[in-house]
Amino acid sequence: MARPRAFNEGEVLDAALRCFWTRGYEATSVRDLASSMGLTGASLYNAFGDKRTLYEKALERYASHSMAERIRRLEAPDMAPRDAIATFFRETLERALDDPEMKGCFVVNAAVEMGPHDPELRAAALASLGEVEAFLTRRIEAGRTDGTIQSRETAQELARMLLGVHLGLRVLARLQPGRELLEGVVKPALAALDP
């Protein structure tokens, strides 16, 4: 009979997520993970398998908690569609400016670091980014319905452009997180929602 786990899985996954997020996959050793998670190497392997599997679980946790919760909040019935998009970008900008470690977005980091050579992680990152695109598309369509968004482009074209801006913003913020620069990226993107 297997012994029950003597740790909170969510807490140790959060610790692994922070470790991967700060260092990246390649620069994170199993020893780093075990230390940050408060586990022995054997316990880590028994609970989560190998480093790659743990990374995938951390990515899933980030996507299902951080991004999904944010999208749900911004699609609340009392938030105007255009305001939801503006708030999404304002929060992204503030998160970048308030991040002294310049970690960026874990999904974007995973897409850049692991996507080119790991099809499963690429698919996971694309699925998460697809949720962002779908959120933007829904808000643009709702904004067209209420008259606050009047661009000539289709909702999907605008959503994809905004997703590209979001990705660029997250990468740029890791390199040069200055308010003036980042606001200069967001302002014309939001202006594209106008006629």
Side-chain angles (χ1 to χ4, degrees), residues 47-62:
F48 298 103
D50 60 8
K51 176 180 155 181
R52 163 53 184 73
T53 302
L54 181 56
Y55 187 84
E56 186 173 18
K57 288 180 183 292
L59 181 59
E60 289 169 4
R61 185 163 178 86
Y62 179 88

Side-chain angles (χ1 to χ4, degrees), residues 121-191:
L121 290 174
R122 178 175 49 247
L126 285 172
S128 185
L129 295 173
E131 291 297 320
V132 174
E133 181 184 335
F135 155 73
L136 293 167
T137 301
R138 290 189 300 270
R139 296 297 79 206
I140 292 165
E141 289 170 345
R144 287 213 163 127
T145 299
D146 76 8
T148 59
I149 297 174
Q150 300 177 3
S151 177
R152 291 185 307 268
E153 290 77 20
T154 68
Q156 186 178 47
E157 289 169 340
L158 280 173
R160 287 181 174 167
M161 182 272 298
L162 290 173
L163 177 64
V165 170
H166 172 69
L167 294 173
L169 183 68
R170 296 306 272 167
V171 172
L172 187 58
R174 291 197 72 190
L175 302 171
Q176 189 177 1
R179 180 173 294 279
E180 184 178 349
L181 174 66
L182 300 181
E183 286 178 346
V185 170
V186 171
K187 184 178 178 181
L190 294 179

Side-chain angles (χ1 to χ4, degrees), residues 1-22:
M1 179 156 97
R3 290 187 341 198
R5 292 184 179 171
F7 58 85
N8 178 301
E9 186 170 325
E11 289 175 5
V12 296
L13 269 176
D14 286 342
L17 169 60
R18 284 189 300 274
C19 194
F20 281 129
W21 198 357
T22 301

Side-chain angles (χ1 to χ4, degrees), residues 1-82:
M1 179 156 97
R3 290 187 341 198
R5 292 184 179 171
F7 58 85
N8 178 301
E9 186 170 325
E11 289 175 5
V12 296
L13 269 176
D14 286 342
L17 169 60
R18 284 189 300 274
C19 194
F20 281 129
W21 198 357
T22 301
R23 295 181 175 99
Y25 179 82
E26 292 297 332
T28 301
S29 69
V30 172
R31 183 174 296 202
D32 294 331
L33 289 165
S35 175
S36 70
M37 296 166 74
L39 300 175
T40 65
S43 293
L44 188 151
Y45 281 111
N46 288 336
F48 298 103
D50 60 8
K51 176 180 155 181
R52 163 53 184 73
T53 302
L54 181 56
Y55 187 84
E56 186 173 18
K57 288 180 183 292
L59 181 59
E60 289 169 4
R61 185 163 178 86
Y62 179 88
S64 68
H65 284 72
S66 178
M67 294 183 82
E69 287 175 11
R70 188 169 169 210
I71 287 171
R72 275 192 297 276
R73 181 175 43 79
L74 293 174
E75 287 191 305
D78 63 336
M79 182 166 287
R82 188 184 175 101

